Amino acid sequence: MDRPSPDPDTGLRFRIDADHVGWVTFDLPGSSVNLLTPELLRELDILLSELESRIANGQLLALVLHSGKEGTFIAGVDVEAIAALPGAAEARAASAEGQRVFRRIERLRVPTIAAIDGVCMGGGTELALHCDHRIVSDRDSTRIGLPEVRLGILPGFGGTVRLPALVGIQNALGMIVTGRAARPARARRIGLADRVVPAGRFHDETARFVHDVVAGHIDRAAPRLRFAQRLLERTAPGRRLLFRTARQRATAESKGFYPAPLKAIDVIATSIGRRPDDAYELEAEALGTLAATDESRSLVRVFRLSQQARRALSPEVLAERRPVGRMAVIGAGVMGGAIAELAAANDLPVVLKDIDQDALDSGLRHAAELLRKASAAGVFGEAEAGLKFALITGALDYEEFGEVDLVVEAVVERLPVKQQVMREARSAAPGAVLASNTSALSVDAIADGVDRPDTVLGLHFFNPVHKMPLVEVVRGPRTSNRSLATGFRLALDLGKTPVLVADRPGFLVNRLLGPYLDEAGRLVEAGAPVAVIDGALEAFGMPMGPLRLLDEIGFDVAGHASREMAAALGDRFGSATVVERMLEDGRLGKKNGRGFYRYEGGRSRDVDPTVAQLFRVTDEPVPGDDIRHRCLFRMVNEAAYAIEEEVIGGPDDVDLALVLGIGFPPFRGGLLRWADSIGIDTIHSALTAYAAAHGDRFAPAPLLARMAAHNQMFTDST
Ligand code: NAI
């Protein structure tokens, strides 16, 4: 009884089996995942009318909603549809429409079952929440979540109403306010899943479950609350305490920059005990308000940019890549050990080579520790962590390099050493693509002396590797498409977001960090207190102030990088003397426990008061805006140079790379989106004034001057 849907583009299908069970299949054509598009919602609405009449005629005993895609149920609402909503009223209407359709499912007079085998997010989860039952597979990738706050909104298709009713307030807050998804075991524990079954037998188990439901052997799920939770959730004072705690935590975590988590808490708190109609209305209203905020627009933009970045290479170029079934990392230091762990965590066999046994041991220990932490955090099981660690082979020679498809070198930042290592890697693995993790050297210079320099590219990972989502994929002038595609695809397979950059000093992120950190140093020289400088940029939303960041990077490394960039790019770089003064005073930063801050057992404490003796500290207050503008406008100016030199594809890449590479506040949409919000003309005038007051390092870049003259912006407004 298979029949195509009226509009084949949405991939919605329906059939009734011999047992009078209806199966609704989601299978969006041309996409690896299912998305909830407005068109799909419309078709579902039409299908529901048919289902209602079939049920009235006694043709259906139960209804199953499932996916035709491997590994996904529904990955969420199409973010393009969210981005296209012009304002609060339209967002509110879209929410109300989704609620209306889903509530029709809730009202069907036969049992409804969501069969979830894989990723189930956002609107997909809300759809499942409007079913009577949820059967879930134990597949590795299965996650059920409501990540809407990460886009600056809240679940708008009934999630804030249905989830607390199903799993209790505390569990629901835990998912909605943080956006954290539940794995199958947790879903079962909190009552979100009625049953968790082996992925290999998912279809049969679903059929059996449906049979049991129809036979009346399965009750509707009720929240599984422990005694203490019941006490909190079922009394008014208990609930007050619960919401107060949730608000405190959300305020601390969002630092006041993100309105969505608090709004979600308010919506849930207010809707408890209300009639469902009112609760749904409250949710739609709140969604409308949030969707129209700058924060949400910025977060949606960053999300879309990261999706776009994954498609930066055409399918034709990607098809040229060498598939990587085994890789090698040379240099088992801070970066090498962590890159080896990343490969193993993603099930890729890896050889980790060093020249020093102690260094190798420490790299392997570092990798093991990271795997242990990932397993403690529930990313994978303990036994699995052991299996993954077994994928790493430690080596002091090149014997194991024969089968290797790609090599990443992460040895000390010295050109002759890197060239030598590349030559050795070439003879040990003649067919392999060779990648350098250099931060500041030229990839092309590293490729010199290697035969087939077309096989060399840069893969610049960020520290700490397991946390930082960005990889700069560096194309040297001689790098072939094949090598580029191999490195780009590897970055994706390791779960990172690749951004293509040209082989210019500092690539993109370190180049933009240069003037920003330099200016913070200048402010120290001018007498501004450390805490005031860092505080000004933390208040802007930076994850840490620039001086704390310098401590993390280390003054030796920062000094080296700024000298390299100054030599190549000119006087705009590296003119502050702070770094040298800190080094003269024996300060390397966090690594030797002596920087702008004091450290105890590797943890940072307060500002080191003895730093003040090295510099003149004035009592004159320095306005926070002045600090922010001096540091950040120099970064904007440098971005204009980088764009003009075609270091990256354009302003979108700058914005994405800084959010993912240094944690530039995503709620601001990226550096250049923020610059546009201030106005290029304003920034140009400020730079001109700063140049007159403080020196040429502020002189506006030619591109910025042209943009100001023609009233142009870096980014478009969508
Ligand atoms: P590190 O000093 O911690 O480790 C370097 C390792 O290379 C040491 O274990 C050393 O024994 C080994 N080594 C030296 N010569 C070797 C050779 N000929 N063959 C094999 N191994 C050799 O250095 P780190 O911090 O891990 O940096 C490595 C590379 O990554 C550098 O190019 C650096 O610029 C880059 N990088 C560093 C970042 C950081 O934050 N540490 C961030 C991004 C890139």
Side-chain angles (χ1 to χ4, degrees), residues 330-336 353-356 359-360 398 409-414 417-418 420-421 424 436-440 460-463:
I330 309 183
V334 175
M335 297 301 286
K353 182 197 176 298
D354 206 291
I355 41 169
D356 180 82
L360 179 61
Y398 287 98
E409 75 72 21
V411 302
V412 283
E413 187 78 341
R414 286 213 302 274
V417 183
K418 289 199 187 281
Q420 174 64 25
V421 162
E424 291 168 8
S436 171
N437 185 46
T438 180
S439 338
H460 184 217
F461 290 86
F462 287 74
N463 187 15

Side-chain angles (χ1 to χ4, degrees), residues 12 20 115 124 283 319 324 422 500 547 550 663:
L12 182 69
H20 304 285
E283 178 186 88
V324 178
M422 285 304 203
L500 295 173
L547 301 175
L550 271 170

Side-chain angles (χ1 to χ4, degrees), residues 636 639 643 651-652 654-655 670-677 680 714-715:
V636 172
I643 289 169
D652 286 354
V654 172
D655 282 354
L671 177 74
L672 298 180
R673 167 53 61 94
W674 171 75
D676 283 341
S677 75
I680 302 307
F714 281 113
T715 64

